Amino acid sequence: MEIQEETINGITVLTLDGEVDSSTALSLQEAVEAYINPHCRILMNLAGVGYMSSAGLRVMLVTYRDVIAQEGRIVLLHLSEEIRYVMEATGFLSHFTLADSFDEGIALLENGHGSAH
Amino acid sequence: MVRRIDTYPTHEYEGYKLRPGRTQPFGASVVPGGINFSVFSSHATACTLVLFERDNPEPFVEIPFMDGFRIGNVYAMTIFDLDYENIDYGFRFDGPWDPSQGHVFDPSTVVMDPYARSIGGRDVWAQRVDPHAIYQHRARPVIDDFDWEGDTQLEIPLEDLIIYEMHVRGFTASPTSGVAAPGTFDGLREKIPYLKALGVNCVELMPVFEFDEWEHSRISPETGEILLNYWGYSTVGFFAPKAGYAATGRYDMQMDELKNLIKELHRSGIEVILDVVFNHTAEGNELGPVISFKGIDNKTYYMLTPDGYYYNFSGTGNTLNCNHPVVRNVVLDCLRYWAADYHVDGFRFDLASILGRDQNGAPLSNPPLLEALAHDPILAGCKLIAEAWDAGGLYQVGSFPDYGRFAEWNGRFRDTVRRFIKGDEGMLGDLAQRVQGSPDMYSRRRPTASVNFVTCHDGFTLMDMVSYNSKHNLANGEDNRDGQNDNYSWNCGHEGPTDNQDIHDLRRRQIKNAVTILMISQGVPMLLMGDEYGRTKHGNNNTYCHDSPLTWFDWGALEENDDLFGFFQGVIAFRKAHQVLRRREHFKHRDVVGSGWPDITWHGTQAWYADWSHYSRVLAFMLDGAHARGGLDPDDSIYVAMNAYWEPLTFELPLCPGDGLWHAAIDTYQPPGWDVAPVGEEPPLEDQSSYQVGPRSVVVLVGREEIRR
């Protein structure tokens, strides 16, 4: 699991690469926590994530809760069909705002999307 | 947070770091730094933990519980640095092999944790398995957190409940369902709008605890199809949801998927009752497989004869020793877990009379297990429903040790209504009791002690009840010996499908009669999945082994039968609109609210005169709406005329209580569109003094005052 970070127009873009499971979940959580600040805006690019285990979904939800607690916003980009379905069936998806393109993700965050709903 | 001082290893075994574990909770728990394993056996002499990589047939390490890792009869060990998402675990137990004394320990067998909350090995429905693998049903450690977002049990009052008995897989397995994941918890979730449209507010799920669909699998001599254990009345693990019912089971997320289903059902105002099978397990008799309980503590978990054989009060080979103090606690832990961690709203206990037998099988007058369940603080908000009989001949409908808590599947309601509808003589006295909530059976209880039903998974569907005189079970491969013989069914003139329009019409009318009587009766009504569109199982009354269109909900047929569906919708809505049909107390048969009318009065073709004679097939009754909810929440008055005679009959109507006029709510003789009126839009009768009730028909009138104003 590798994570790259860049900042674009004040938005933190985190690009994940690799599988998210119990062996990588904790390090992912710790890495992401560093970018969760008051009113943060995070675009999480999951194009490189082919598999997300139960532990991985939990990291996503904990991240979401932390972001919301800081009145920040988060949008998920390029979620694979399979992960998207798993998240829907297990109830994790309903929390998240999704984007299918980079520009859409930036626009959603700039227009106030990705907060609690 | 300060780190606990017991999160450091104290021992090492083959490179694995360990420490003596915590005895509770039982099972596998993810703890700081590792996993805690705890399991008990009263008669074992030693225990070994067997660890596998996820789905790997061979273990990667076996770690004995060393000296100092046992407290009492509990073996407990914490192992550090294990990746909980990537292991399966089992146990080997050593101890005496002496079947005549009830001991069958065999350390060459890997057995499953009875407290396993997630079980692999059958996690994709009906996927081929290796029958020779040493560990078939594989316990997995889990973290069972869930974001409930404020959800709680709904606690709908029992008298307001309308139960829909259903099979998780069968509901959406058919391609006609159109859902993303047919046959799964998620498929059911996708169909919640349908359940809302029908109007039910409770689903009773046939078994969803882990079971083995391959148990007793065979080829049908009749059809050549593979027969599976489709119903699942054969538990492998009591704490684990059936992984093969989850679209995400292959990712071990069946727990989340089922919890999400329950959360979404609750959001739609629909409760969830689980059909739980504590009377026996999937391990069968002496010839059955060793999966868990047999190899851990056979003599504790099972009722055994003095010679060490299995008592068979369940009809399936073994009987769980549920009034043994240790087993009793397992059952209690299990139900508490489902109530607290899954927000389940209630339980229906399969062959519940077994739960009232002692360790030798004798019925107890004060069974400790049932008493414990009835008074348990965590289960206090749960519905408890007993199937109050067993396969050992104990029949307790009306006499089940209920502690004021257990409702019962009222088999007498089913039989009486079926016999009345098909025109049997001498049914009126019995019928009068059934529509009142069976006060003859539950005099010291409330009407809600009676769960009323005409059909359930056992036996004919409603359509088959009016299409077949006898069962047609050859496809089950048991030469038509299996299944009930007393179906009280009538084929309306032809056995099975027919092009005869008269028979077709009569069958639909009989279905409407049945559901109408069910919905206007006091007590708790229960419908069977698919009856609302006339689902047929082609006369098979015991379809436990068929995973096929024979047992699946047919969404195409639903569209073709929207007239029947509309009728069901209508009568359900009618019941929900009228609290006078949903009494909390039995009728008092007198005027206790000063309305001038008793709460219930009996009529016939003559008002105020019911003909109770043997040959009469006619009964009418009137409920004075002023008595609803003890007079505190007045409702419309309701008049019901039931004509099971084959000719139309004119019923003289009693004067509507108060200043009301009679309006036509339901008339099963009328064609679709005219057979049930939307609530509040019932047309007033032109003739307020009589009503012609069609042959084999039921009429419901509602008396409302505002029209005359």
Side-chain angles (χ1 to χ4, degrees):
Chain A
M1 163 60 53
E2 288 183 23
I3 306 168
Q4 287 187 336
E5 187 266 344
E6 57 186 323
T7 305
I8 299 173
N9 296 344
I11 291 172
T12 304
V13 180
L14 298 176
T15 302
L16 278 56
D17 195 22
E19 297 191 342
V20 186
D21 57 23
S22 55
S23 65
T24 57
L26 192 60
S27 58
L28 172 64
Q29 190 173 323
E30 286 167 356
V32 173
E33 271 169 10
Y35 304 103
I36 301 176
N37 308 307
H39 306 291
C40 62
R41 291 182 294 171
I42 295 176
L43 181 62
M44 195 178 275
N45 183 353
L46 298 166
V49 177
Y51 172 72
M52 202 178 281
S53 78
S54 167
L57 296 185
R58 280 162 168 75
V59 168
M60 300 302 288
L61 189 60
V62 167
T63 300
Y64 166 81
R65 291 275 175 226
D66 287 347
V67 168
I68 296 308
Q70 302 264 17
E71 295 182 28
R73 301 203 285 272
I74 183 168
V75 167
L76 305 185
L77 175 63
H78 294 316
L79 202 56
S80 79
E81 274 302 308
E82 180 71 4
I83 296 175
R84 183 181 180 139
Y85 174 71
V86 169
M87 288 179 72
E88 185 179 1
T90 51
F92 288 87
L93 192 68
S94 62
H95 301 288
F96 291 99
T97 301
L98 305 183
D100 292 325
S101 73
F102 187 83
D103 291 347
E104 184 193 1
I106 297 290
L108 283 167
L109 286 164
E110 288 184 335
N111 292 320
H113 294 280
S115 55
H117 65 90
Chain B
M1 196 205 280
V2 175
R3 193 162 163 193
R4 293 174 60 109
I5 58 172
D6 58 3
T7 57
Y8 296 88
T10 57
H11 295 62
E12 193 171 320
Y13 182 84
E14 292 188 0
Y16 289 87
K17 295 180 177 131
L18 329 166
R19 68 176 291 126
R22 296 169 71 85
T23 53
Q24 291 204 306
F26 297 121
S29 311
V30 178
V31 296
I35 304 173
N36 187 71
F37 298 90
S38 173
V39 62
F40 54 79
S41 171
S42 307
H43 299 97
T45 54
C47 180
T48 300
L49 176 70
V50 185
L51 295 176
F52 303 77
E53 282 180 10
R54 185 64 55 91
D55 294 326
N56 192 316
E58 297 302 322
F60 64 86
V61 68
E62 304 203 10
I63 306 175
F65 286 81
M66 294 185 265
D67 290 343
F69 285 63
R70 179 180 61 79
I71 295 179
N73 293 329
V74 183
Y75 299 86
M77 171 159 58
T78 300
I79 304 182
F80 293 86
D81 303 326
L82 287 177
D83 177 4
Y84 76 92
E85 276 196 338
N86 198 32
I87 64 165
D88 299 330
Y89 71 99
F91 301 104
R92 296 186 195 274
F93 279 92
D94 207 347
W97 172 266
D98 186 355
S100 68
Q101 291 300 307
H103 300 307
V104 292
F105 288 101
D106 176 8
S108 71
T109 305
V110 180
V111 292
M112 192 196 78
D113 181 1
Y115 277 77
R117 288 167 291 164
S118 173
I119 298 172
R122 301 287 186 276
D123 40 29
V124 176
W125 175 266
Q127 193 174 63
R128 288 283 172 189
V129 295
D130 174 10
H132 304 296
I134 61 165
Y135 193 37
Q136 294 283 329
H137 302 282
R138 304 164 68 93
R140 295 171 169 176
V142 285
I143 296 179
D144 51 3
D145 53 349
F146 189 72
D147 190 355
W148 284 100
E149 299 181 275
D151 176 74
T152 59
Q153 293 164 322
L154 295 185
E155 299 194 3
I156 295 173
L158 202 43
E159 62 271 17
D160 295 341
L161 218 56
I162 299 173
I163 302 173
Y164 187 76
E165 193 204 25
M166 64 188 304
H167 188 277
V168 170
R169 179 170 163 74
F171 193 50
T172 63
S174 165
T176 60
S177 71
V179 300
T184 64
F185 295 126
D186 190 54
L188 203 172
R189 182 185 62 85
E190 223 180 295
K191 290 293 189 183
I192 289 173
Y194 171 76
L195 297 170
K196 278 189 81 169
L198 179 59
V200 297
N201 57 16
C202 176
V203 289
E204 181 171 311
L205 306 181
M206 287 169 67
V208 298
F209 294 173
E210 183 64 27
F211 64 90
D212 182 4
E213 62 270 30
W214 290 107
E215 182 185 2
H216 301 309
S217 67
R218 59 199 187 277
I219 303 292
S220 167
E222 187 81 356
T223 63
E225 292 173 6
I226 294 180
L227 301 180
L228 297 172
N229 180 2
Y230 168 71
W231 278 357
Y233 286 87
S234 191
T235 309
V236 165
F238 292 100
F239 291 78
K242 175 72 185 137
Y245 279 175
T248 60
R250 63 186 181 282
Y251 301 130
D252 200 31
M253 292 193 212
Q254 61 272 16
M255 301 166 68
D256 287 324
E257 189 174 321
L258 176 54
K259 287 173 181 175
N260 188 45
L261 166 63
I262 294 171
K263 183 165 86 172
E264 294 296 331
L265 282 165
H266 283 175
R267 280 182 173 163
S268 291
I270 299 173
E271 290 199 342
V272 178
I273 289 178
L274 299 186
D275 189 343
V276 293
V277 189
F278 287 109
N279 54 77
H280 71 283
T281 75
E283 293 187 301
N285 62 10
E286 295 76 23
L287 305 173
V290 176
I291 297 169
S292 176
F293 309 97
K294 277 182 179 174
I296 295 176
D297 206 350
N298 189 55
K299 193 170 185 170
T300 297
Y301 280 112
Y302 292 109
M303 286 188 203
L304 300 176
T305 68
D307 303 328
Y309 291 96
Y310 295 93
Y311 276 119
N312 185 16
F313 297 112
S314 66
T316 59
N318 66 50
T319 309
L320 201 70
N321 195 11
C322 38
N323 275 303
H324 185 290
V326 167
V327 186
R328 198 193 311 158
N329 282 340
V330 175
V331 175
L332 191 58
D333 285 348
C334 174
L335 294 173
R336 286 174 159 185
Y337 174 65
W338 288 99
D341 277 58
Y342 280 84
H343 294 195
V344 161
D345 299 280
F347 304 96
R348 176 268 187 190
F349 296 86
D350 184 63
L351 301 185
S353 290
I354 284 181
L355 310 186
R357 290 180 183 267
D358 71 12
Q359 295 186 50
N360 300 311
L364 292 156
S365 59
N366 194 21
L369 172 60
L370 297 176
E371 185 181 39
L373 299 182
H375 297 291
D376 187 74
I378 295 174
L379 302 179
C382 287
K383 277 88 181 172
L384 303 177
I385 302 170
E387 185 187 33
W389 55 83
D390 68 23
L394 193 54
Y395 189 82
Q396 296 178 305
V397 175
S399 62
F400 188 79
D402 57 72
Y403 303 96
R405 280 283 276 129
F406 285 87
E408 298 175 7
W409 268 26
N410 189 345
R412 275 184 74 178
F413 184 95
R414 173 196 59 207
D415 297 344
T416 301
V417 172
R418 287 181 175 207
R419 295 183 63 189
F420 171 75
I421 288 173
K422 77 187 181 76
D424 279 10
E425 296 163 347
M427 298 310 300
L428 297 188
D430 216 16
L431 180 68
Q433 295 294 327
R434 299 313 135 238
V435 299
Q436 293 182 81
S438 297
D440 57 335
M441 298 162 64
Y442 305 108
S443 60
R444 61 185 175 78
R445 306 286 307 283
R446 295 161 186 260
T448 49
S450 177
V451 175
N452 300 328
F453 64 103
V454 184
T455 51
C456 65
H457 69 275
D458 266 322
F460 284 143
T461 63
L462 214 40
M463 180 58 86
D464 288 352
M465 185 193 85
V466 296
S467 305
Y468 295 92
N469 284 349
S470 46
K471 64 184 184 184
H472 297 265
N473 294 1
L474 283 175
N476 302 348
E478 297 180 45
D479 299 325
N480 211 30
R481 288 187 308 267
D482 63 311
Q484 295 151 246
N485 291 317
D486 298 329
N487 296 295
Y488 302 116
S489 61
W490 175 48
N491 65 21
C492 297
H494 179 87
E495 188 78 351
T498 172
D499 294 331
N500 184 312
Q501 190 63 37
D502 290 343
I503 292 176
H504 174 85
D505 291 345
L506 177 55
R507 286 176 177 171
R508 292 180 108 69
R509 198 155 79 244
Q510 294 284 59
I511 288 173
K512 293 194 278 186
N513 292 339
V515 70
T516 302
I517 294 174
L518 179 63
M519 286 297 157
I520 54 83
S521 291
Q522 305 294 328
V524 183
M526 182 177 78
L527 298 165
L528 172 64
M529 170 183 106
D531 277 349
E532 68 272 24
Y533 72 82
R535 180 166 75 118
T536 176
K537 295 194 283 186
H538 307 307
N540 193 322
N541 76 353
N542 189 29
T543 55
Y544 68 99
C545 52
H546 297 279
D547 176 35
S548 71
L550 181 71
T551 53
W552 296 342
F553 192 106
D554 182 344
W555 295 85
L558 172 67
E559 283 180 26
E560 292 158 16
N561 294 281
D562 56 351
D563 58 319
L564 215 45
F565 175 78
F567 185 82
F568 273 68
Q569 263 184 323
V571 290
I572 290 169
F574 185 79
R575 179 177 181 84
K576 288 165 94 171
H578 292 292
Q579 61 272 25
V580 75
L581 298 170
R582 298 180 270 115
R583 291 176 61 91
R584 294 173 186 154
E585 310 285 343
H586 286 301
F587 290 107
K588 298 191 166 54
H589 301 276
R590 56 183 194 275
D591 177 15
V592 293
V593 300
S595 70
W597 277 265
D599 43 15
I600 183 169
T601 49
W602 301 100
H603 310 271
T605 51
Q606 296 179 58
W608 301 99
Y609 176 76
D611 177 4
W612 298 101
S613 65
H614 185 77
Y615 297 104
S616 171
R617 294 180 175 87
V618 165
L619 186 63
F621 64 88
M622 180 172 74
L623 308 179
D624 176 13
H627 290 262
R629 300 289 198 232
L632 297 174
D633 186 11
D635 188 6
D636 301 328
S637 293
I638 286 173
Y639 171 86
V640 179
M642 298 175 282
N643 177 19
Y645 187 54
W646 50 85
E647 297 285 346
L649 293 170
T650 299
F651 283 61
E652 184 191 2
L653 299 178
L655 197 63
C656 184
D659 287 327
L661 288 179
W662 290 122
H663 297 63
I666 298 167
D667 184 343
T668 63
Y669 192 70
Q670 299 303 317
W674 300 92
D675 48 10
V676 56
V679 170
E681 298 175 25
E682 301 90 348
L685 301 188
E686 281 184 25
D687 177 2
Q688 288 285 317
S689 63
S690 69
Y691 193 104
Q692 180 173 301
V693 180
R696 300 188 193 274
S697 297
V698 177
V699 165
V700 180
L701 307 179
V702 58
R704 281 207 311 270
E705 294 186 13
E706 70 266 34
I707 301 302
R708 181 173 282 178
R709 184 172 58 222

